[in-house]
Amino acid sequence: MKKIVLIIAAIIFVFISFESHAQLFPTLGGQRAGISTAQFLKIGVGGRASAMGESFIAVANDASALYWNPAGVVQFEQHQVIFSHNQWVGDISHDFLGVVYHFDAANSIGASLISLSMKDMPVTTEFSPFGTGEYFGFSDFAFAITYSRKMTDKFSFGGTIRYIEETLDKLKMRGVMIDLGTYYWTGLGSSRFAVTVTNFGNNLAPDGEVILIGKRKKSEWQAFAPPTIFRIGFAFEPFENEEHSLTSSIQLNHPNDNSENVTAGFEYNWKKILYLRGGYKFNVDEQNISFGAGFCIPVSFTELNLDYAYSNFVRLGSAHRFSIILGL
């Protein structure tokens, strides 16, 4: 265990030292920013994962694994339902609903919904900069089916198929994407290792026609790649007994539309009732620190988990996430 602690400490030190540089791999930089669509798929879900700085794919042992790592869906025993509400920046509401059902100890399925919405906005033109009196709306929607299986007592694998739909006034963009994830218990203490690829699919372009000034029509649109992200994570408990435990996690993220970044997080647990969490994102321009808390409350036939997370933004303010998980 001492060796594991030293290894993790060394990794964290190396990643922190990279924080003063532009990125981990100079040939793969911020020049990729803005080249993908369906950005709502990158908004994290769940108060627990968000409070840990989204360093979560190697933890992923509750129903929020439907979003973070499909292989984590078999890492817990209860059937679970999760609802997460995120008051995102710019008065944007982001919601997640998911359910997990276990066939047996080795096979589990799940389904999830993601919804992003905001108030209608006024239509403006160069001739009517204060509005034409008309309004337009914008919204996002995704529905996913997940399957996960324990291949051995140490290794599990999972996959997700997701249908997404994005609506901007008269335009709609539709597509199908997949997530793949693995989860491996190394056998060294409680350490585990996870790898995921999320939002992998074909380029997407909207359908529909708009009428421009002068009654010109436009119906051809450029296609963009989905926001594919490759993640590698490692987690373990440096301290654990019957009353207290501490989970630490570190994760490398490689998005197709920005620089690589590193996230680190922790979760302190007291008697599996009270949880305190914190996290930090390195090499990310806007988001940085996050923290939160959670409670586990036994209620007659079920177990209720309430989680909250605060995420700080450098210029955009902050975001607040609330989530509820019911175990059956």
Side-chain angles (χ1 to χ4, degrees):
M1 180 58 69
K2 290 183 179 179
K3 291 183 179 180
I4 296 176
V5 174
L6 291 174
I7 292 172
I8 295 300
I11 293 173
I12 294 174
F13 174 78
V14 171
F15 284 145
I16 291 175
S17 68
F18 273 115
E19 176 67 2
S20 61
H21 298 282
Q23 59 184 76
L24 297 180
F25 307 105
T27 57
L28 302 174
Q31 70 272 14
R32 298 194 305 265
I35 65 171
S36 71
T37 187
Q39 291 293 297
F40 77 103
L41 295 174
K42 295 165 64 177
I43 301 175
V45 307
R48 184 185 180 201
S50 300
M52 295 178 68
E54 300 185 354
S55 179
F56 198 68
I57 68 165
V59 180
N61 57 357
D62 60 31
S64 66
L66 291 167
Y67 174 86
W68 294 105
N69 183 356
V73 173
V74 290
Q75 297 302 318
F76 54 97
E77 298 179 355
Q78 293 179 314
H79 309 309
Q80 288 188 351
V81 177
I82 179 175
F83 173 73
S84 173
H85 174 71
N86 176 8
Q87 195 57 45
W88 198 235
V89 296
D91 293 328
I92 298 172
S93 293
H94 178 265
D95 298 296
F96 179 86
L97 177 65
V99 58
V100 173
Y101 178 81
H102 301 285
F103 289 112
D104 51 42
N107 296 276
S108 302
I109 62 169
S112 59
L113 294 170
I114 300 175
S115 172
L116 182 144
S117 61
M118 63 187 72
K119 294 180 180 179
D120 288 349
M121 294 170 280
V123 176
T124 61
T125 68
E126 58 264 47
F127 302 110
S128 302
F130 299 105
T132 63
E134 299 178 313
Y135 288 81
F136 72 96
F138 177 84
S139 62
D140 291 310
F141 169 82
F143 173 73
I145 297 293
T146 299
Y147 172 72
S148 183
R149 176 178 175 82
K150 277 189 178 180
M151 310 300 290
T152 70
D153 61 339
K154 295 185 180 300
F155 177 78
S156 62
F157 173 85
T160 296
I161 299 177
R162 180 179 294 106
Y163 168 81
I164 72 112
E165 184 173 290
E166 190 166 80
T167 302
L168 174 58
D169 195 20
K170 300 177 179 65
L171 302 180
K172 281 188 178 291
M173 182 176 65
R174 304 174 179 87
V176 176
M177 304 174 192
I178 62 171
D179 298 349
L180 298 174
T182 61
Y183 199 107
Y184 178 68
W185 293 85
T186 66
L188 299 174
S190 62
S191 63
R192 57 268 199 200
F193 178 79
V195 178
T196 66
V197 178
T198 57
N199 306 321
F200 180 78
N202 293 326
N203 289 358
L204 306 174
D207 296 323
E209 182 180 81
V210 298
I211 299 177
L212 307 175
I213 294 176
K215 295 185 178 181
R216 293 174 293 123
K217 296 181 179 179
K218 181 173 177 60
S219 59
E220 295 183 2
W221 311 97
Q222 183 177 355
F224 291 90
T228 305
I229 305 176
F230 174 77
R231 298 182 174 103
I232 300 175
F234 181 83
F236 80 114
E237 280 69 34
F239 177 79
E240 186 174 22
N241 60 29
E242 292 183 359
E243 290 192 359
H244 309 274
S245 71
L246 180 65
T247 299
S248 60
S249 176
I250 190 166
Q251 184 173 297
L252 171 65
N253 307 299
H254 176 80
N256 69 339
D257 59 358
N258 216 318
S259 303
E260 294 77 18
N261 62 82
V262 174
T263 59
F266 74 90
E267 176 182 69
Y268 166 74
N269 162 31
W270 178 69
K271 293 186 176 181
K272 297 184 179 179
I273 297 176
L274 172 65
Y275 297 85
L276 301 176
R277 307 177 180 109
Y280 194 87
K281 295 184 177 183
F282 300 93
N283 198 37
V284 177
D285 289 337
E286 188 59 37
Q287 300 183 58
N288 48 32
I289 194 169
S290 60
F291 56 85
F295 296 92
C296 180
I297 306 171
V299 181
S300 63
F301 65 93
T302 186
E303 190 174 79
L304 178 66
N305 289 271
L306 304 175
D307 297 301
Y308 165 77
Y310 169 91
S311 300
N312 183 63
F313 288 76
V314 177
R315 290 172 290 269
L316 298 176
S318 59
H320 304 269
R321 292 180 179 87
F322 303 86
S323 62
I324 300 174
I325 296 179
L326 294 175
L328 304 175

